[in-house]
Amino acid sequence: MYRLYDFLPSGNGYKVRLLLTQLEIPFERIEVDIRMGASRNEEFLQKNPNGRIPVLEVKPGIYLSESNAILIYLSQDTDFLPADRLEAAYVMQWLFFEQYSHEPYIATSRFWMTILDQADQYRKELLQKLEPGYAALSVMEQRLTEHPFLVGDRYTIADIALYAYTHVAHEGGFSLEKYPGIQAWLDRVQAQPNHIEITQI
Amino acid sequence: MYRLYDFLPSGNGYKVRLLLTQLEIPFERIEVDIRMGASRNEEFLQKNPNGRIPVLEVKPGIYLSESNAILIYLSQDTDFLPADRLEAAYVMQWLFFEQYSHEPYIATSRFWMTILDQADQYRKELLQKLEPGYAALSVMEQRLTEHPFLVGDRYTIADIALYAYTHVAHEGGFSLEKYPGIQAWLDRVQAQPNHIEITQI
């Protein structure tokens, strides 16, 4: 059985939990409290030298890290990853967009404000995150006002990856009020079979 | 023929140039001077709403962005992407590591210091990039002291993606002196057939 090293409030961990659940693949979850440094001790660094969750223990002693790499691995040959080469490439495009242009602003702000509850201490940094975070949301909005999902016309791991932190953007101080396309898409994602909430296990 | 929207000093653009050259695929290159805002005008935003190079015009009017997504797309069914599912997943792991944990520190520092030539203006920001940048190099070193390449025992797009900015890390103020594993790997990458240098076209 897969073992997932995870931190329950993490959107990156949630991506993997959500896909495993929707694929109906059973897994064991190990909680790693990153606030307490549990992803930086020697034992954990053996699993991921980069000191981050989630980590999927694919088979005993074989560890895979990077949430979006895990999504790709698990979705091979399933409906969650298009078989068409160009559509699969667009899934990858959104996955890298998520990690480079979205997560560092929206997820990091949420981490400071809601997970650490230190909005005051990070006030200046939070302000700097607003412009690039909203820019990322605008790129999504442009796609989602014209299309039901991020790639093609159906739900893929690209939607899972972007949903993870977008649906809790308000916990990082981002309002989705001006993004009706995103709001409608959030509803479509939540309506998928076997959907679970971020802290639901 | 593929058309690549590119900026010659860019490591992200170089990844695609290098792979296309090593695959012996001809392409047309369009220079986009990102220093002059050429990736943020309306015409370019039609190609990539996220306003970044490189963009590959896969066929007329069909644009793919995100350097590492382009690498995956081009390397399908070639020796540059392992056929084994787990090995392919490790390639993805390194590609996301590159965009999240390496590029924002090492490439961004190089951009400020060498491309913009504004080391003084960015002195404070450059100092903040040092610790996470060296942390990324240490993760690579750990792998490369024990293995010839990042995944398996041969050259893949993971090596191309990490080579792009690692081999010019000094242009961002990073010394590789304490990373003999990385240094030996740089030599192995440079010794691959059809290798080209970063600004060689």
Side-chain angles (χ1 to χ4, degrees), chain B residues 11-62:
Chain B
N12 286 324
Y14 172 51
K15 295 172 190 174
V16 181
R17 262 175 267 142
L18 178 54
L19 178 60
L20 283 167
T21 303
Q22 294 190 311
L23 286 170
E24 301 183 7
I25 296 174
F27 63 101
E28 179 189 0
R29 213 182 67 82
I30 311 282
E31 183 76 357
V32 178
D33 193 336
I34 61 176
R35 292 168 304 193
M36 311 301 280
S39 62
R40 303 287 162 119
N41 64 36
E42 216 168 299
E43 193 193 339
F44 190 85
L45 291 173
Q46 296 287 325
K47 301 176 176 73
N48 179 10
N50 202 28
R52 297 177 194 279
I53 60 92
V55 171
L56 186 69
E57 192 168 357
V58 177
K59 34 195 149 173
I62 302 293

Coordinates of all heavy atoms in Angstrom, one line a residue, chain B residues 11-62:
Chain B
G11 N 18.4 30.9 -19.3 CA 18.7 29.5 -19.1 C 17.4 28.7 -19.4 O 17.5 27.6 -19.9
N12 N 16.2 29.3 -19.2 CA 15.0 28.6 -19.5 C 14.9 28.4 -21.0 O 14.4 27.3 -21.5 CB 13.8 29.3 -19.0 CG 13.7 29.2 -17.4 OD1 14.0 28.1 -16.9 ND2 13.2 30.2 -16.8
G13 N 15.3 29.4 -21.8 CA 15.3 29.3 -23.2 C 16.3 28.3 -23.7 O 16.1 27.4 -24.6
Y14 N 17.5 28.4 -23.1 CA 18.6 27.5 -23.4 C 18.3 26.0 -23.3 O 18.7 25.2 -24.1 CB 19.8 27.8 -22.5 CG 21.0 26.9 -22.5 CD1 21.6 26.6 -23.7 CD2 21.6 26.4 -21.4 CE1 22.7 25.8 -23.8 CE2 22.7 25.6 -21.4 CZ 23.3 25.3 -22.6 OH 24.4 24.5 -22.6
K15 N 17.5 25.7 -22.2 CA 17.1 24.2 -22.1 C 16.5 23.7 -23.3 O 16.8 22.6 -23.8 CB 16.0 24.1 -21.0 CG 16.4 24.5 -19.6 CD 15.1 24.5 -18.7 CE 15.3 25.1 -17.4 NZ 14.0 25.3 -16.6
V16 N 15.6 24.5 -23.9 CA 14.8 24.1 -25.1 C 15.7 24.0 -26.3 O 15.7 23.1 -27.1 CB 13.6 25.0 -25.4 CG1 12.8 24.5 -26.6 CG2 12.7 25.0 -24.1
R17 N 16.6 25.1 -26.5 CA 17.5 25.1 -27.6 C 18.5 23.9 -27.5 O 18.8 23.3 -28.5 CB 18.4 26.4 -27.4 CG 18.0 27.6 -28.2 CD 18.9 28.8 -27.9 NE 18.3 29.6 -26.8 CZ 18.9 30.2 -25.8 NH1 20.3 30.0 -25.7 NH2 18.3 30.9 -25.0
L18 N 18.9 23.6 -26.3 CA 19.9 22.5 -26.1 C 19.2 21.2 -26.5 O 19.8 20.4 -27.3 CB 20.4 22.5 -24.7 CG 21.4 21.4 -24.3 CD1 22.6 21.3 -25.3 CD2 21.8 21.5 -22.9
L19 N 18.0 20.9 -26.0 CA 17.3 19.7 -26.3 C 17.0 19.6 -27.8 O 17.3 18.5 -28.4 CB 16.1 19.5 -25.5 CG 15.3 18.2 -25.8 CD1 16.1 17.0 -25.5 CD2 14.0 18.2 -25.0
L20 N 16.5 20.6 -28.4 CA 16.2 20.6 -29.9 C 17.4 20.3 -30.7 O 17.4 19.5 -31.6 CB 15.6 21.9 -30.3 CG 14.1 22.2 -29.9 CD1 13.8 23.7 -30.2 CD2 13.2 21.3 -30.8
T21 N 18.6 20.9 -30.3 CA 19.8 20.7 -31.0 C 20.3 19.2 -30.8 O 20.7 18.6 -31.8 CB 20.9 21.6 -30.4 OG1 20.4 23.0 -30.6 CG2 22.2 21.5 -31.2
Q22 N 20.2 18.7 -29.6 CA 20.6 17.3 -29.3 C 19.7 16.3 -30.0 O 20.1 15.2 -30.3 CB 20.8 17.1 -27.8 CG 21.9 18.0 -27.3 CD 22.4 17.7 -25.9 OE1 21.5 17.6 -25.0 NE2 23.7 17.5 -25.7
L23 N 18.4 16.7 -30.2 CA 17.5 15.8 -30.9 C 17.6 16.0 -32.4 O 17.0 15.3 -33.2 CB 16.1 16.1 -30.5 CG 15.6 15.6 -29.1 CD1 14.3 16.2 -28.7 CD2 15.6 14.1 -29.1
E24 N 18.5 17.0 -32.8 CA 18.7 17.3 -34.2 C 17.4 17.7 -34.9 O 17.1 17.3 -36.0 CB 19.4 16.1 -34.9 CG 20.8 15.9 -34.3 CD 21.6 14.8 -35.0 OE1 21.1 14.3 -36.1 OE2 22.6 14.4 -34.5
I25 N 16.5 18.4 -34.2 CA 15.3 19.0 -34.7 C 15.5 20.4 -35.1 O 15.9 21.2 -34.3 CB 14.2 18.9 -33.7 CG1 13.9 17.4 -33.3 CG2 12.9 19.6 -34.2 CD1 12.9 17.3 -32.2
P26 N 15.3 20.8 -36.4 CA 15.5 22.2 -36.8 C 14.4 23.1 -36.2 O 13.3 22.6 -36.0 CB 15.4 22.1 -38.3 CG 14.7 20.9 -38.6 CD 14.9 19.9 -37.5
F27 N 14.8 24.3 -35.9 CA 13.8 25.3 -35.4 C 14.2 26.7 -35.8 O 15.3 27.0 -36.0 CB 13.6 25.1 -33.9 CG 14.9 25.4 -33.1 CD1 15.0 26.7 -32.5 CD2 15.9 24.5 -33.0 CE1 16.2 27.0 -31.8 CE2 17.1 24.8 -32.3 CZ 17.2 26.0 -31.7
E28 N 13.1 27.5 -35.8 CA 13.4 28.9 -36.0 C 13.3 29.6 -34.7 O 12.5 29.3 -33.9 CB 12.2 29.5 -36.9 CG 12.3 30.9 -37.3 CD 11.1 31.5 -38.0 OE1 10.2 30.7 -38.2 OE2 11.1 32.7 -38.2
R29 N 14.2 30.5 -34.5 CA 14.3 31.2 -33.2 C 13.9 32.7 -33.3 O 14.4 33.4 -34.2 CB 15.7 31.1 -32.7 CG 15.9 31.1 -31.2 CD 17.3 31.0 -30.7 NE 18.0 32.3 -31.1 CZ 17.9 33.4 -30.3 NH1 17.2 33.3 -29.1 NH2 18.4 34.5 -30.6
I30 N 13.0 33.1 -32.5 CA 12.6 34.5 -32.5 C 13.0 35.2 -31.2 O 12.7 34.7 -30.1 CB 11.0 34.7 -32.5 CG1 10.4 33.8 -33.6 CG2 10.6 36.2 -32.7 CD1 10.5 34.3 -35.0
E31 N 13.9 36.2 -31.2 CA 14.4 36.8 -30.0 C 13.4 37.7 -29.4 O 12.8 38.6 -30.1 CB 15.7 37.6 -30.4 CG 16.4 38.2 -29.2 CD 17.1 37.2 -28.2 OE1 17.1 36.0 -28.5 OE2 17.8 37.7 -27.3
V32 N 13.2 37.6 -28.1 CA 12.2 38.4 -27.4 C 13.0 39.0 -26.2 O 13.3 38.4 -25.3 CB 11.0 37.5 -26.8 CG1 10.1 38.4 -26.0 CG2 10.3 36.8 -28.0
D33 N 13.3 40.3 -26.3 CA 14.1 40.9 -25.3 C 13.2 41.3 -24.1 O 12.5 42.3 -24.0 CB 14.8 42.2 -25.8 CG 15.9 42.6 -24.8 OD1 15.8 42.3 -23.6 OD2 16.8 43.3 -25.3
I34 N 13.3 40.4 -23.1 CA 12.4 40.5 -21.9 C 12.8 41.7 -21.1 O 12.0 42.3 -20.3 CB 12.4 39.2 -21.0 CG1 13.9 38.9 -20.5 CG2 11.9 38.0 -21.8 CD1 13.9 37.8 -19.5
R35 N 14.0 42.2 -21.2 CA 14.5 43.5 -20.5 C 13.7 44.7 -21.0 O 13.5 45.6 -20.3 CB 16.0 43.7 -20.7 CG 16.9 42.7 -20.0 CD 18.3 42.8 -20.5 NE 18.3 42.8 -22.0 CZ 19.5 42.6 -22.7 NH1 20.6 42.5 -22.0 NH2 19.5 42.5 -24.0
M36 N 13.2 44.6 -22.3 CA 12.5 45.7 -22.9 C 11.0 45.5 -22.8 O 10.3 46.2 -23.5 CB 13.0 45.9 -24.4 CG 14.5 45.9 -24.6 SD 15.3 47.2 -23.7 CE 14.9 48.6 -24.8
G37 N 10.6 44.5 -22.1 CA 9.1 44.3 -21.9 C 8.5 43.5 -23.1 O 7.3 43.5 -23.2
A38 N 9.3 43.0 -24.0 CA 8.8 42.3 -25.2 C 8.0 41.1 -24.9 O 7.3 40.6 -25.8 CB 9.9 42.0 -26.2
S39 N 8.1 40.5 -23.7 CA 7.2 39.4 -23.4 C 6.0 39.8 -22.7 O 5.2 38.9 -22.3 CB 8.0 38.4 -22.5 OG 8.4 39.0 -21.3
R40 N 5.7 41.1 -22.5 CA 4.5 41.6 -21.8 C 3.6 42.4 -22.7 O 2.7 43.0 -22.2 CB 5.0 42.4 -20.6 CG 5.9 41.6 -19.6 CD 5.1 40.5 -18.8 NE 6.0 39.5 -18.2 CZ 6.0 39.3 -16.9 NH1 5.3 40.0 -16.1 NH2 6.9 38.3 -16.5
N41 N 4.0 42.6 -24.0 CA 3.1 43.3 -24.8 C 1.9 42.4 -25.3 O 1.9 41.2 -25.1 CB 3.8 44.0 -26.0 CG 4.4 42.9 -27.0 OD1 3.8 41.9 -27.2 ND2 5.6 43.2 -27.5
E42 N 0.9 43.1 -25.8 CA -0.4 42.4 -26.1 C -0.1 41.2 -27.1 O -0.7 40.2 -27.0 CB -1.4 43.4 -26.7 CG -2.8 43.1 -26.3 CD -3.7 44.3 -26.6 OE1 -3.5 45.4 -26.1 OE2 -4.6 44.1 -27.4
E43 N 0.7 41.5 -28.1 CA 0.9 40.4 -29.1 C 1.5 39.2 -28.4 O 1.1 38.1 -28.7 CB 1.9 41.0 -30.2 CG 2.0 40.1 -31.4 CD 3.1 40.5 -32.3 OE1 3.7 41.6 -32.2 OE2 3.5 39.6 -33.1
F44 N 2.5 39.4 -27.5 CA 3.1 38.2 -26.9 C 2.2 37.5 -25.9 O 2.2 36.3 -25.8 CB 4.4 38.6 -26.2 CG 5.2 37.4 -25.8 CD1 6.1 36.7 -26.6 CD2 5.0 36.8 -24.5 CE1 6.7 35.6 -26.3 CE2 5.7 35.7 -24.1 CZ 6.6 35.1 -25.0
L45 N 1.4 38.3 -25.2 CA 0.5 37.7 -24.2 C -0.6 36.9 -24.9 O -1.2 36.0 -24.3 CB -0.2 38.8 -23.4 CG 0.7 39.6 -22.4 CD1 0.0 40.8 -21.8 CD2 1.3 38.6 -21.4
Q46 N -0.8 37.1 -26.2 CA -1.7 36.1 -27.0 C -1.1 34.8 -27.0 O -1.8 33.7 -27.1 CB -1.9 36.6 -28.4 CG -2.6 38.0 -28.5 CD -4.1 37.8 -28.2 OE1 -4.7 36.8 -28.5 NE2 -4.7 38.8 -27.5
K47 N 0.3 34.7 -27.0 CA 1.0 33.4 -27.1 C 1.1 32.8 -25.8 O 1.0 31.6 -25.6 CB 2.3 33.6 -27.8 CG 2.3 34.2 -29.2 CD 3.7 34.6 -29.7 CE 3.6 35.1 -31.1 NZ 3.1 36.4 -31.3
N48 N 1.4 33.6 -24.8 CA 1.5 33.1 -23.4 C 1.0 34.2 -22.4 O 1.7 35.2 -22.1 CB 3.0 32.8 -23.0 CG 3.1 32.3 -21.6 OD1 2.1 32.1 -20.9 ND2 4.3 32.2 -21.1
P49 N -0.2 34.0 -21.9 CA -0.8 35.0 -21.0 C 0.0 35.2 -19.8 O -0.2 36.2 -19.1 CB -2.2 34.4 -20.7 CG -2.4 33.3 -21.7 CD -1.1 32.8 -22.2
N50 N 0.9 34.3 -19.5 CA 1.8 34.5 -18.3 C 3.0 35.4 -18.6 O 3.8 35.7 -17.7 CB 2.2 33.1 -17.7 CG 2.6 33.2 -16.3 OD1 2.1 34.0 -15.5 ND2 3.5 32.3 -15.9
G51 N 3.2 35.8 -19.8 CA 4.2 36.8 -20.2 C 5.6 36.3 -20.0 O 6.4 37.1 -19.5
R52 N 5.9 35.1 -20.3 CA 7.3 34.6 -20.1 C 7.8 33.8 -21.3 O 7.0 33.2 -22.0 CB 7.3 33.6 -18.9 CG 6.9 34.3 -17.6 CD 6.9 33.3 -16.4 NE 6.3 33.8 -15.3 CZ 6.8 34.6 -14.4 NH1 8.1 35.0 -14.5 NH2 6.2 35.1 -13.3
I53 N 9.1 33.9 -21.5 CA 9.7 33.0 -22.5 C 10.3 31.8 -21.7 O 10.5 32.0 -20.5 CB 10.7 33.8 -23.4 CG1 11.9 34.3 -22.5 CG2 10.1 34.8 -24.2 CD1 13.0 33.4 -22.3
P54 N 10.6 30.7 -22.4 CA 10.4 30.4 -23.8 C 8.9 30.0 -24.1 O 8.2 29.5 -23.2 CB 11.3 29.2 -24.0 CG 11.3 28.5 -22.7 CD 11.3 29.6 -21.7
V55 N 8.5 30.2 -25.3 CA 7.3 29.7 -25.8 C 7.6 28.9 -27.1 O 8.3 29.4 -28.0 CB 6.3 30.8 -26.1 CG1 5.0 30.2 -26.8 CG2 5.8 31.5 -24.8
L56 N 7.1 27.7 -27.2 CA 7.3 26.9 -28.4 C 6.0 27.0 -29.3 O 5.0 26.6 -28.8 CB 7.7 25.5 -28.1 CG 8.1 24.6 -29.3 CD1 9.4 25.0 -29.9 CD2 8.1 23.1 -28.9
E57 N 6.2 27.4 -30.5 CA 5.0 27.3 -31.4 C 5.1 25.9 -32.0 O 5.9 25.7 -32.9 CB 5.1 28.4 -32.5 CG 3.8 28.6 -33.2 CD 3.7 29.8 -34.1 OE1 4.7 30.7 -34.0 OE2 2.7 30.0 -34.8
V58 N 4.2 25.1 -31.5 CA 4.3 23.7 -31.9 C 3.8 23.4 -33.3 O 4.4 22.7 -34.1 CB 3.4 22.9 -30.9 CG1 3.4 21.4 -31.3 CG2 3.9 23.1 -29.5
K59 N 2.7 24.1 -33.7 CA 2.3 24.2 -35.1 C 1.7 25.6 -35.2 O 1.5 26.3 -34.2 CB 1.3 23.1 -35.5 CG 0.4 22.6 -34.4 CD -0.3 21.3 -34.7 CE -0.6 20.5 -33.5 NZ -1.3 19.3 -33.7
P60 N 1.4 26.1 -36.4 CA 1.0 27.5 -36.5 C -0.1 27.8 -35.6 O -1.2 27.2 -35.7 CB 0.6 27.6 -38.0 CG 1.5 26.5 -38.7 CD 1.6 25.4 -37.7
G61 N 0.1 28.8 -34.7 CA -0.9 29.3 -33.8 C -1.1 28.5 -32.6 O -2.0 28.8 -31.8
I62 N -0.4 27.4 -32.4 CA -0.5 26.5 -31.2 C 0.8 26.7 -30.4 O 1.9 26.3 -30.8 CB -0.6 25.0 -31.6 CG1 -1.9 24.8 -32.5 CG2 -0.7 24.2 -30.3 CD1 -3.2 25.1 -31.8

